[in-house]
């Protein structure tokens, strides 16, 4: 593994725009990195010819004076999303170059925190005996290993945030409704996986049109280690809470422990998915909605662990619901993000999950950027997995 951390989307776009390198060269380097991580099975398809042709068009557009904020940025796309999704089209219009399709789970298991390819399951780069999470499995591995700085994902129960947490990178689920729903039930929303919050903000600017904002001078966070219904691993909770307090002490963030006790959304989520409609009563109950609204009215963010568990073996998670902290917010539609929170004693990444009020995506990302900066020294590079 190189000592130098891999380039961010922002750094690549700046170099290509300034003429320090070309989009074609940036894509060649990414394709070479994809070859180096082939043993991890992150991709189900790689498109070298099409990618280099697209990169040449980016270089030509820049030469003609067309501004492209993601000029030459290699982009991995989730196989079930492809290049035709709304978010992929917007990213390509901003200058990103799709290089291949990333793995998603196959049939055969009720749990979808894994990835499938013709050559076998996708491997977690931190420990190949563990799954990378899912369903955006290959996207998280491609970003974590530095093969690409940015990948598309989608999240119906945590499918962006969970693999981001288990691969040590960042996963963002926008407020539901900002992107076209990916399913009839209105639960699944697109989003990015990236190594830095700055790159997530570039995604947001290109896809959703928002601009970065400054973090509030005094960020207020409510911490809940269970939401009232999870039974998480103590080490996972401890790492997420420690990261939160490191941020708080470094930046003057106010943290309060929330006693919120919500209802386990398992049956509600399945009812809505099976009914295939976002209308009707299959959402959180009025008591839970009122409790959430009241809590998020009193603070800027709700923080939890991203998952109750660390990445599980390929044989499965057992009885643990890996979606325990994430899928509630697919039902409620709140924007949420997983930020790297450190490593367990056996070397597996854990995520800190931040949730904001509806349509407060800019605030969510500003706070995450602030936390990322505060945690950088304590956690090191965070998103650069050791396996290449």
């Amino acid at each position: 593994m190189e000592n130098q951390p891999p380039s961010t989307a922002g750094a690549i776009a700046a170099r290509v725009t300034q003429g320090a390198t070309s989009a074609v060269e940036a894509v060649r380097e990414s394709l070479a990195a994809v070859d180096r991580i082939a043993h991890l099975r992150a991709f189900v398809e790689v498109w070298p010819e099409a990618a280099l042709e697209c990169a040449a068009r980016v270089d030509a557009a820049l030469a003609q004076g067309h501004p492209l904020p993601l000029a030459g940025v290699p982009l991995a796309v989730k196989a079930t999303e492809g290049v035709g999704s709304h978010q992929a089209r917007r990213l390509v219009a901003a200058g990103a170059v799709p290089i291949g399709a990333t793995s998603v789970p196959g049939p055969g298991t009720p749990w979808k925190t894994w990835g499938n390819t013709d050559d076998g399951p996708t491997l977690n780069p931190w420990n190949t005996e563990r799954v990378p999470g899912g369903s955006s499995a290959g996207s998280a591995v491609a970003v974590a290993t530095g093969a690409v700085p940015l990948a598309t994902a989608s999240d119906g129960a945590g499918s962006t945030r969970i693999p981001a947490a288990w691969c040590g990178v960042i996963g963002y689920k926008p407020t539901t409704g900002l992107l076209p729903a990916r399913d009839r039930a209105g639960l699944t929303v697109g989003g990015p996986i990236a190594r830095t919050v700055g790159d997530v903000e570039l995604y947001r600017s290109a896809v959703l049109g928002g601009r970065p904002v400054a973090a509030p001078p005094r960020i207020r966070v409510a911490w809940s280690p269970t939401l009232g219904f999870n039974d998480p691993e103590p080490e996972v909770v401890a790492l997420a809470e420690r990261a939160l307090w490191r941020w708080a002490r470094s930046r003057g963030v106010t943290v309060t422990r929330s006693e919120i006790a919500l209802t386990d959304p398992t049956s509600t989520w399945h009812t809505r998915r099976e009914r295939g409609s976002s209308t009707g009563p299959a959402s959180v109950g009025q008591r839970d909605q009122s409790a959430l609204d009241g809590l998020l009215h009193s603070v800027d963010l709700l923080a939890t662990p991203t998952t109750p568990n660390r990445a599980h073996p390929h044989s499965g998670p057992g009885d643990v619901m890996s979606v325990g902290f994430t899928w509630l917010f697919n039902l409620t539609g709140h924007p949420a993000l997983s930020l790297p929170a450190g490593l367990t004693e056996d070397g597996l990444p854990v995520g800190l999950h931040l949730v904001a009020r509806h349509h407060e995506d800019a605030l969510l990302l500003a706070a995450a950027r602030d936390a990322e900066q505060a945690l950088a020294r304590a956690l090191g590079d965070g998103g650069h997995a050791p396996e290449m």
Side-chain angles (χ1 to χ4, degrees), residues 55-69:
R57 292 194 295 272
V58 168
D59 286 330
L62 289 174
Q64 295 169 5
H66 298 295
L68 294 171

Side-chain angles (χ1 to χ4, degrees), residues 200-256:
V200 175
E201 290 180 318
L202 282 175
Y203 166 95
R204 180 170 175 265
S205 177
V207 175
L208 303 174
R211 294 184 178 182
V213 301
R218 184 80 95 181
I219 301 172
R220 303 163 301 162
V221 181
W223 164 252
S224 174
T226 69
L227 292 178
F229 56 84
N230 285 290
D231 184 19
E233 295 178 20
E235 188 180 10
V236 170
V237 173
L239 282 167
E241 187 171 12
R242 185 170 67 184
L244 176 60
W245 279 106
R246 280 174 170 162
W247 174 32
R249 294 188 194 102
S250 173
R251 300 290 191 172
V253 173
T254 301
V255 177
T256 56

